Amino acid sequence: MSKDVEFRIWRGEGGQGGFANYRVEVNEGEVVLDLVHRLQATQAPDLAVRWNCKAGKCGSCSAEINGRPRLLCMTRMSTLPAGQPVVLTPLRAFPSIRDLVTDVSFNYAKAREVPSFVPPAELKPGEYRMRQEDVNRSQEFRKCIECFLCQDTCHAVRDHEENKAAFAGPRFLMRVAELDMHPLDAAAEAGLDRRADAQDVHGLGYCNITKCCTEVCPEHIRITDNALIPLKERVADRKYDPLVWLGSKIGLRPKS
Amino acid sequence: MDSYDVVVVGAGGAGLRAAIEAREQGLRVAVICKSLFGKAHTVMAEGGIAAAMGNVNSGDSWQVHFRDTMRGGKFLNHWRMAELHATEAPERVWELETWGALFDRTTDGRISQRNFGGHEYPRLAHVGDRTGLELIRTLQQKVVSLQQQDFKESGDYEARLKVFQEYTVTRVLKEGDRVAGVFGYVRESGQFFSIAAPAVVLATGGIGKSFKVTSNSWEYTGDGHALALLAGASLLNMEFVQFHPTGMVWPPSVKGILVTESVRGDGGVLRNSEGRRFMFDYVPEVFKGQYAQTEEEADRWYADPDHNRRPPELLPRDEVARAINSEVKAGRGTAHGGVQLDVSSRLPAEEIIRRLPSMYHQFKELADVDITREPMEVGPTCHYVMGGVEVDPDTAASPAVAGLYAAGEVAGGMHGSNRLGGNSLSDLLVFGRRAGLHAARYAAGLTTRPVVDQAQLDAAAAEALAPFAEGGENPYTLHQELQQTMNDLVGIIRRAGEMKQALDRLAVLRRRAARVTVEGHRQFNPGWHLALDLRNMLLASECVARAGLLRRESRGGHTREDWPGMDRDWRRVNLVCTLDEDGIAVQRQANPPVRSDLLALFEREELAKYFTPEELADEQGR
Ligand SMILES: Cc1cc2nc3c(=O)[nH]c(=O)nc-3n(C[C@H](O)[C@H](O)[C@H](O)COP(=O)(O)OP(=O)(O)OC[C@H]3O[C@@H](n4cnc5c(N)ncnc54)[C@H](O)[C@@H]3O)c2cc1C
Ligand code: SF4
Ligand code: SF4
Ligand code: FES
């Protein structure tokens, strides 16, 4: 069963532009990206959009659908309100390049500021032993497809350009949490204090646990509950109890 | 013009592993990729990475892995590549853990391994069904850690390893017979760029976007295959294209999206519309004896693999894809032209969600199907190209062009006529590392650097701007026609007449593609990008059709209705494509004889199914 639907798509370059209206045929089961492709093939061949996998796996096709940050390839037309135009705009928190494409380099810069995994000096490749229970938490965070929808939606960035320098955003605070919860990360031995850095370098304090990031995450990662709040607790523990820090250094890390 | 020691084209598993290696050899390395960093096709891999670590079944060893790989490829594989792959894969996986990867664990804390088609033992290291994401993220984070190291030393993250994201290479530049650099365009601005470099590693992945129904991403337009041909290198065995047996078939919007083989590895079964587990009817002669003959035996195998044979659902992919095709053709398919893949009656719901989270998610969100309660509808989808750039097995170097290397899906030889699941991710790491290492050695060993020739730059720029001339056709129309042609005429079952027809159509499409017209300007213009990709897709498609027409037998990912049998004489022949003024030329080339200690890993009786009596007699005579 096909029907025509109206699309209002923001078109322009470098932030200058406006909405263009299109009518396009929609068939059963289609997702928004199908319609963007149909428009490219028939009415708007130069309509700029990012996409790779069309299966919700690569996190390329992020945009805002009716004002809400979403993946174009995982949003089915049948889930949008019928009889109303579908409004597509680029991610608001990042500079516009063209049409639905934005400059997401902010995220790559932030990624570089988080010190990498530190391998334990005493273990050779092949000697790593970890229990499934102990890797579950970090594994949840590694489901992240870097769509940056959480980065786009977090009000600390979305409405405050000036915070960008000091705030890594939920995606990269979660990365800090992931490494801090990695059972074999040897950051402490290398003189790194991930918890102090979370607060002092990556701006954990800007997060006031509104959970908006969790709501938009297409991977259903519980960013706030499982990464940000525990990270805040760890920071607090560390601040008030020097023994925790010492304990973790000599292998007595309390179960947390 | 920027200048680097090694340029790696591609930031998937193979490209990143190559770049890491070349950088660790102390050279300056550029990685170029046409999408954002971390989004390469590798991210889509689901089931796992094959490596004979023996964590789940200690009977496993590189010899067993080698054997499975050769059987899967029907012995057309380059034996040396299969050997290197099997011996080095475990080190490459363990190394990932030291870079922060978190694989699923066994109860004793080691890396867990799962069953997969064609693998005798549980062998695939995995993270749920998102192994490719783990692989790409780990390599990406390793790149970042090397950049952090450089930052500490020099104040510049990109001092020795720089990623040029959303840059597309359209030409490899040469000086005489050797590589001199690369040329291409920047997606965002539409400006051209060129980089001088004595060594170029192609790691661009596959060609699936030439087919209509495919599991492959936007990037898979055969760029590396075409770049190699245009640079004077040769492509090997391009007729072998893998159709994965289980792609989604409904709704049309998602047709082709992959349903991971882990569904079957973890207990899922295939049924036709009559409810029959039809795979028991399709165990081919060469595999008789290795697969269960009754449902009871097959079901016992999951718990007791040492005393039962594996279910036929886990036959190599080419066999399963053909079986599904036959069932549907015989009228025993589902309403939407597929068959049923059922895991709901085999595992408890929680277990399904834990082991196959993305499949659960994918069907729920895209097809309104709850796989814990009902079967999935599946059918074959174009998935992987076994053919690719001809390389030296040890160094990944093209024998034809000095300074040109290839690794990953774009390289040929490793998988023979059919790739086993899980063997690609391990291939990326093993041969990505080798390509990076040898490219670095080559670059470091040069006394004079090649010089980039202005005339080549001008010609490349003119070629890239041609689609802005007015009066031609829309590139999207051509792309759709190409996909339909390849799907209908050079698909899973092939016939001489249809392949000839395909070649005629490709010739017409090539003429039309030379005159496509794009609208708009050069900044981030998808129409223009597609227009430039067409050249590559057409070259790769022509290789598939020409080689397919020539190979008069059925083997692995090449099934001829008019030549249904496997022919032992053809096993000795590789088909090699090159590009000359008249277009693609295909030549026969001898497949090098397998080293005798490796042949000795097989029973004579099994070898006799693949090798001619003369070959085996030679062997005994040695
Ligand atoms: C859905 C799916 C599931 C899979 N699951 C598995 C699995 O479980 N196990 C397994 O072993 N294999 C699996 N495979 C196969 C495997 O994922 C691929 O074969 C493999 O990832 C290819 O990796 P690569 O490094 O060769 O290239 P890719 O990861 O595809 O990377 C190609 C790179 O080249 C770049 N590129 C291409 N052309 C150009 C150009 N002209 N200029 C600049 N850059 C360019 C791209 O941007 C990209 O960065 C799966 C494949 C699919 C589609
Ligand atoms: S929970 Fe914190 S990080 Fe997430 S959106 Fe709210 S403020 Fe931002
Ligand atoms: S945490 Fe979720 S929303 Fe944020 S980038 Fe990752 S996948 Fe996207
Ligand atoms: S295209 Fe990959 S997530 Fe949408």
Side-chain angles (χ1 to χ4, degrees):
Chain A
M1 285 287 274
S2 70
K3 57 176 192 300
D4 276 7
V5 170
E6 188 179 336
F7 271 73
R8 305 193 64 209
I9 304 182
W10 192 88
R11 300 213 54 186
E13 281 123 50
Q16 304 294 308
F19 283 96
N21 293 332
Y22 304 94
R23 282 198 79 77
V24 58
E25 183 189 319
V26 177
N27 304 312
E28 186 184 341
E30 285 184 327
V31 295
V32 175
L33 187 59
D34 285 312
L35 284 312
V36 172
H37 285 161
R38 186 162 302 137
L39 284 170
Q40 286 180 328
T42 53
Q43 307 177 40
D46 62 343
L47 172 58
V49 65
R50 275 199 189 100
W51 71 284
N52 275 18
C53 68
K54 198 172 173 286
K57 296 199 156 62
C58 72
S60 302
C61 64
S62 308
E64 299 193 3
I65 304 175
N66 298 336
R68 186 179 154 82
R70 305 186 72 162
L71 295 178
L72 297 173
C73 74
M74 292 301 282
T75 306
R76 291 182 78 182
M77 288 299 295
S78 57
T79 63
L80 300 176
Q84 284 174 33
V86 178
V87 182
L88 301 186
T89 46
L91 296 179
R92 193 174 96 193
F94 307 122
S96 130
I97 291 179
R98 184 177 182 197
D99 303 343
L100 299 176
V101 176
T102 55
D103 175 356
V104 291
S105 53
F106 163 75
N107 299 288
Y108 290 91
K110 292 295 170 187
R112 279 215 284 239
E113 289 169 11
V114 180
S116 305
F117 172 70
V118 180
E122 69 283 6
L123 292 182
K124 290 203 282 292
E127 293 177 352
Y128 285 42
R129 296 290 178 274
M130 294 177 261
R131 293 191 314 174
Q132 186 62 45
E133 304 86 280
D134 296 333
V135 299
N136 279 339
R137 285 182 305 181
S138 295
Q139 277 189 333
E140 180 189 5
F141 309 147
R142 290 181 73 82
K143 278 171 25 189
C144 170
I145 59 173
E146 300 208 327
C147 63
F148 309 131
L149 292 177
C150 58
Q151 302 284 89
D152 177 59
T153 209
C154 175
H155 65 96
V157 178
R158 192 171 175 90
D159 303 321
H160 297 279
E161 187 64 27
E162 72 280 7
N163 288 347
K164 276 190 177 172
F167 181 57
R171 160 59 186 126
F172 296 102
L173 286 165
M174 180 175 87
R175 167 79 171 138
V176 177
E178 172 212 315
L179 288 162
D180 196 47
M181 296 179 191
H182 189 303
L184 292 177
D185 178 48
E189 288 79 349
L192 276 169
D193 185 345
R194 295 198 187 275
R195 296 171 191 184
D197 283 358
Q199 193 73 10
D200 305 340
V201 181
H202 309 300
L204 182 60
Y206 286 89
C207 164
N208 49 3
I209 55 176
T210 58
K211 304 198 184 184
C212 313
C213 50
T214 305
E215 276 167 31
V216 298
C217 177
E219 287 294 304
H220 308 295
I221 302 172
R222 298 181 64 199
I223 309 169
T224 323
D225 287 350
N226 291 354
L228 304 180
I229 293 175
L231 193 58
K232 279 178 179 272
E233 287 167 1
R234 288 168 170 232
V235 170
D237 277 356
R238 189 201 152 271
K239 276 211 171 121
Y240 303 121
D241 184 1
L243 276 180
V244 173
W245 166 230
L246 193 68
S248 73
K249 261 191 91 96
I250 55 176
L252 300 175
R253 187 182 301 193
K255 253 195 134 49
S256 53
Chain B
M1 186 187 309
D2 275 347
S3 158
Y4 282 84
D5 299 319
V6 176
V7 166
V8 178
V9 187
L16 293 180
R17 190 61 190 83
I20 290 166
E21 191 65 22
R23 155 65 182 73
E24 294 205 299
Q25 296 298 312
L27 299 200
R28 278 190 77 232
V29 183
V31 178
I32 305 178
C33 51
K34 66 182 189 178
S35 6
L36 293 173
F37 185 30
K39 314 253 173 251
H41 187 85
T42 296
V43 84
M44 296 173 78
E46 295 168 355
I49 172 165
M53 298 182 286
N55 291 352
V56 172
N57 189 320
S58 57
D60 206 5
S61 65
W62 76 261
Q63 289 90 342
V64 184
H65 192 182
F66 170 82
R67 228 162 41 201
D68 291 345
T69 301
M70 295 296 289
R71 283 174 182 150
K74 304 261 161 63
F75 284 81
L76 197 80
N77 323 51
H78 195 305
W79 59 269
R80 175 65 177 159
M81 292 179 92
E83 180 193 18
L84 289 170
H85 169 257
T87 50
E88 293 179 5
E91 292 161 52
R92 297 284 79 78
V93 173
W94 285 322
E95 171 179 82
L96 294 176
E97 285 198 302
T98 71
W99 299 345
L102 283 174
F103 291 100
D104 289 349
R105 318 306 299 179
T106 59
T107 44
D108 64 352
R110 293 186 291 173
I111 296 174
S112 173
Q113 300 187 266
R114 67 156 49 113
N115 283 307
F116 237 58
H119 292 281
E120 188 169 338
Y121 294 114
R123 188 176 285 143
L124 270 68
H126 56 92
V127 186
D129 50 10
R130 57 160 190 88
T131 314
L133 174 63
E134 187 67 14
L135 187 78
I136 209 92
R137 206 62 84 226
T138 302
L139 294 170
Q140 181 183 357
Q141 288 163 352
K142 175 65 180 174
V143 165
V144 166
S145 96
L146 291 168
Q147 292 179 324
Q148 290 170 342
Q149 221 174 339
D150 287 344
F151 181 73
K152 260 195 209 137
E153 285 165 24
S154 68
D156 178 4
Y157 283 111
E158 295 173 338
R160 290 196 285 173
L161 177 52
K162 178 163 176 171
V163 180
F164 294 83
Q165 56 178 355
E166 299 196 314
Y167 279 51
T168 304
V169 173
T170 60
R171 282 278 174 171
V172 171
L173 305 167
K174 288 178 69 184
E175 182 206 68
D177 286 336
R178 58 180 188 158
V179 162
V182 294
F183 173 93
Y185 64 87
V186 184
R187 220 169 156 199
E188 177 178 337
S189 65
Q191 298 301 307
F192 295 132
F193 73 93
S194 47
I195 298 178
V200 170
V201 179
L202 296 175
T204 52
I207 66 164
K209 276 293 166 191
S210 299
F211 291 79
K212 189 171 168 200
V213 179
T214 175
S215 66
N216 290 178
S217 85
W218 161 83
E219 300 185 312
Y220 268 29
T221 49
D223 294 10
H225 292 81
L227 290 170
L229 283 172
L230 291 162
S234 47
L235 305 185
L236 193 74
N237 294 337
M238 286 299 287
E239 63 275 33
F240 297 105
V241 176
Q242 180 171 80
F243 290 82
H244 193 290
T246 59
M248 291 175 81
V249 296
W250 189 259
S253 152
V254 300
K255 190 160 181 166
I257 295 185
L258 192 75
V259 180
T260 175
E261 192 167 319
S262 323
V263 176
R264 282 170 285 136
D266 288 351
V269 294
L270 291 164
R271 292 204 182 90
N272 62 19
S273 58
E274 294 163 3
R276 182 174 167 76
R277 266 179 83 175
F278 58 84
M279 279 311 300
F280 289 96
D281 307 334
Y282 291 92
V283 182
E285 199 44 46
V286 287
F287 292 120
K288 284 257 158 69
Q290 294 167 32
Y291 288 83
Q293 274 161 4
T294 63
E295 291 193 28
E296 294 69 35
E297 179 178 4
D299 287 348
R300 283 196 306 268
W301 173 83
Y302 293 98
D304 181 9
D306 292 338
H307 301 100
N308 295 286
R309 289 168 299 175
R310 53 192 23 245
E313 276 89 0
L314 292 178
L315 275 159
R317 287 176 178 170
D318 51 324
E319 310 290 353
V320 185
R322 272 192 300 271
I324 294 177
N325 201 65
S326 309
E327 285 296 307
V328 174
K329 248 194 168 161
R332 294 188 291 270
T334 60
H336 303 114
V339 294
Q340 292 184 353
L341 171 61
D342 184 30
V343 68
S344 66
S345 64
R346 314 269 305 167
L347 289 177
E350 318 80 71
E351 195 61 6
I352 296 174
I353 296 174
R354 194 181 69 76
R355 292 206 213 176
L356 304 164
S358 357
M359 285 305 107
Y360 175 72
H361 195 75
Q362 180 173 313
F363 273 88
K364 188 123 195 141
E365 297 197 7
L366 295 175
D368 298 317
V369 167
D370 179 349
I371 67 168
T372 66
R373 293 160 167 276
E374 51 192 319
M376 303 161 237
E377 256 184 285
V378 296
T381 178
C382 175
H383 186 58
Y384 185 89
V385 60
M386 272 67 71
V389 181
E390 184 182 13
V391 290
D392 175 80
D394 288 79
T395 64
S398 158
V401 182
L404 190 67
Y405 296 77
E409 189 166 341
V410 72
M414 158 70 205
H415 304 285
S417 68
N418 174 52
R419 171 179 73 86
L420 292 186
N423 268 1
S424 170
L425 294 185
S426 39
D427 163 11
L428 307 182
L429 297 173
V430 168
F431 294 103
R433 177 185 149 277
R434 286 182 162 267
L437 177 67
H438 291 283
R441 285 192 186 154
Y442 168 82
L446 289 180
T447 44
T448 59
R449 292 257 165 155
V451 179
V452 171
D453 160 32
Q454 187 61 41
Q456 281 181 42
L457 292 175
D458 295 342
E463 176 185 48
L465 286 176
F468 286 102
E470 284 178 16
E473 282 182 86
N474 173 347
Y476 295 95
T477 315
L478 261 68
H479 186 208
Q480 283 163 6
E481 286 183 34
L482 169 66
Q483 291 182 318
Q484 197 73 52
T485 301
M486 292 305 285
N487 229 75
D488 294 351
L489 304 177
V490 202
I492 176 164
I493 307 291
R494 300 168 176 173
R495 300 160 194 89
E498 290 184 352
M499 283 186 282
K500 285 187 192 140
Q501 208 183 331
L503 284 167
D504 292 341
R505 286 201 203 166
L506 290 174
V508 175
L509 283 170
R510 204 168 48 240
R511 280 198 294 280
R512 287 164 61 191
R515 298 188 301 106
V516 288
T517 291
V518 298
E519 280 180 37
H521 52 63
R522 284 165 66 173
Q523 233 194 321
F524 215 114
N525 183 341
W528 181 37
H529 306 158
L530 178 61
L532 297 178
D533 292 343
L534 280 174
R535 176 198 74 189
N536 305 333
M537 286 188 273
L538 284 164
L539 282 172
S541 300
E542 186 176 339
C543 290
V544 176
R546 279 206 191 285
L549 185 58
L550 217 64
R551 184 175 284 274
R552 292 177 161 192
E553 66 156 349
S554 294
R555 180 187 298 271
H558 173 64
T559 306
R560 294 273 307 247
E561 196 178 71
D562 44 358
W563 297 93
M566 187 164 72
D567 179 343
R568 289 175 297 183
D569 285 320
W570 269 106
R571 195 208 63 82
R572 290 204 260 183
V573 180
N574 285 326
L575 293 178
V576 174
C577 298
T578 49
L579 181 66
D580 57 29
E581 295 81 61
D582 307 326
I584 300 291
V586 191
Q587 250 127 30
R588 292 164 188 243
Q589 183 173 296
N591 194 1
V594 183
R595 211 175 62 217
S596 51
D597 59 310
L598 295 173
L599 270 189
L601 296 170
F602 300 89
E603 302 285 338
R604 291 308 274 193
E605 199 183 320
E606 182 178 8
L607 291 178
K609 297 174 184 172
Y610 299 99
F611 291 79
T612 61
E614 307 86 79
E615 285 178 280
L616 294 176
D618 285 358
E619 206 39 61
Q620 264 162 344
R622 266 197 230 177

